[in-house]
Amino acid sequence: QLQVVESGGGLVQAGGSLRLSCTVSGLTFDDYAMGWFRQAPGKEREGISCIHWSGDRTYYADSVKGRFTISRDNAKNILYLQMNSVKPEDSAMYYCAGRSNRWCVIQWVDYAYWGQGTQVTVSS
């Protein structure tokens, strides 16, 4: 079973940057598409980015397009989310998840393997 652990969250000022990491173990990492999701208090879980198994295709929600970059290192079994020009509305719990398919979609219901999340708080 795929095991997923997020790290890198914290407090950052608006306009700043943060890089989240997601370490994966348990199964062959490049058999899985991966995604980043977030959920703020009182709001639904939102798919913000995903990446195909090879890393050559990525997708972004409009809310983060041009500011966030997803990437993966299949040799190290790590997924990344580089967050630039962050805004207070980016504050949320951020989750990494794996999909039992090599091709990614941005809908969270299609992902079976989830981490515990890492909190990102953006101050204004």
Side-chain angles (χ1 to χ4, degrees), residues 33-83:
M34 300 295 297
W36 284 101
F37 305 83
R38 68 185 181 188
Q39 189 166 19
K43 294 189 176 181
E44 292 188 357
R45 186 165 297 189
E46 175 189 15
I48 58 173
S49 185
C50 70
I51 187 167
H52 287 332
W53 68 278
S54 60
D56 62 346
R57 295 289 295 272
T58 58
Y59 297 92
Y60 297 93
D62 288 342
S63 57
V64 305
K65 197 173 295 182
R67 300 187 298 120
F68 291 9
T69 302
I70 191 172
S71 61
R72 64 190 294 163
D73 185 334
N74 286 350
K76 296 181 178 179
N77 288 10
I78 301 177
L79 177 74
Y80 299 101
L81 184 70
Q82 179 66 44
M83 306 168 61

Side-chain angles (χ1 to χ4, degrees), residues 1-5 22-29 32 76-77:
Q1 180 170 330
L2 206 67
Q3 296 169 327
V4 177
V5 179
C22 172
T23 302
V24 177
S25 61
L27 291 171
T28 304
F29 183 51
Y32 295 80
K76 296 181 178 179
N77 288 10

Side-chain angles (χ1 to χ4, degrees), residues 10 42-43 47 50 57 67 84-85 93 99 107 109 119 124:
K43 294 189 176 181
C50 70
R57 295 289 295 272
R67 300 187 298 120
N84 297 330
S85 303
M93 185 69 79
R99 183 176 190 239
Q107 289 78 27
V109 293
Q119 178 69 40
S124 57

Side-chain angles (χ1 to χ4, degrees), residues 13-24:
Q13 286 190 330
S17 297
L18 205 61
R19 189 174 81 159
L20 306 184
S21 298
C22 172
T23 302
V24 177

